[in-house]
Amino acid sequence: MVEYISLYKSFDAPVLAGVNLVVESGETMAVVGHSGTGKSVLLKTTIGLITPDYGDVRIQKQSVHHSDRGTLEGLRRKVGYVFQNAALFDSMTVFENVSQGLAQEELKRMRFREVLRRVAAALEHVNLDPRKVLSKLPAELSGGMRKRVGLARAIVGRPEILLYDEPVTGLDPVNGAVVHQLIQRLAEELGVTSIIVTHDIEGALPISDRVAMLDKGRIRFVGTPDEFRESDDTLVRAFLERDAMTGSHNNMLEAV
């Protein structure tokens, strides 16, 4: 379980203004909203990459922002983070990038063969052939493959929670659909709790158990995908209609 409790965060202006949200164990939650509403900031507070001005995040009842370093490191080991642009190290091979997802103390104990086995298994989970990609550099991979390597790095440490920051940004619709299918399959096969910050409503709704909408730094809506689509909230309706118009425009451009 992940709990966001009265989170406030300001930079030049307020970004989070009292966020309260509970994500149940094993649940897939999509967090949506207009650009600049604090979605990525919220995600980064989950593992202490950003410290809130007030409030807390709890992972399995343990505080993220009011714990000692040892406790925080233990909580972080429970979480895999998929960055928006994959965030692979350009000078490292796929093997080296994915193995970065293993805790340092684990790496010190493991023999090379065991590390290789774990990395290969993670790559297979995201539909990549280890024999073909282990020695490649990120520049030698397509955008969709880099995203999948980022996913492999996030799951190689066998986390209980997966955080996705705009997982399909920069991908064409076909590769975006592949990544969404992978997210759904990983949730089912690994039994993880998943939180997906995304602008791709149509892709995220079918794979989510619930949807939370951020507006002006607060949670405006929480409910199932069907409840979200059928909501009579004026802001939810406007958000859905704008997304539908954007999707139609993109489809026409792809057809040209």
Side-chain angles (χ1 to χ4, degrees), residues 198-243:
T198 184
H199 69 282
D200 187 344
I201 310 303
E202 291 306 310
L205 289 184
I207 66 170
S208 301
D209 297 306
R210 286 194 299 156
V211 183
M213 182 178 174
L214 267 174
D215 178 64
K216 296 180 180 177
R218 293 177 180 270
I219 298 295
R220 175 82 181 205
F221 172 94
V222 181
T224 66
D226 284 344
E227 289 168 342
F228 186 67
R229 290 185 186 279
E230 296 166 8
S231 173
D232 56 7
D233 183 296
T234 53
L235 281 179
V236 173
R237 297 303 326 154
F239 184 72
L240 284 167
E241 288 163 10
R242 190 203 68 160
D243 184 69

Side-chain angles (χ1 to χ4, degrees), residues 24-54:
E24 301 291 346
S25 296
E27 180 177 35
T28 297
M29 173 77 79
V31 180
V32 303
H34 296 293
S35 296
T37 54
K39 302 186 299 296
S40 291
V41 172
L42 179 68
L43 203 67
K44 289 173 181 173
T45 65
T46 312
I47 53 173
L49 294 178
I50 288 178
T51 301
D53 300 327
Y54 180 83

Side-chain angles (χ1 to χ4, degrees), residues 99 102-112 115:
S99 64
L102 294 166
Q104 289 302 309
E105 58 269 28
E106 260 194 298
L107 278 172
K108 291 175 183 176
R109 294 195 307 265
M110 295 167 70
R111 295 182 177 181
F112 176 79
V115 176

Side-chain angles (χ1 to χ4, degrees), residues 244-256:
M245 289 178 63
T246 301
S248 297
H249 178 66
N250 289 340
N251 288 338
M252 285 190 291
L253 287 177
E254 287 156 18
V256 174

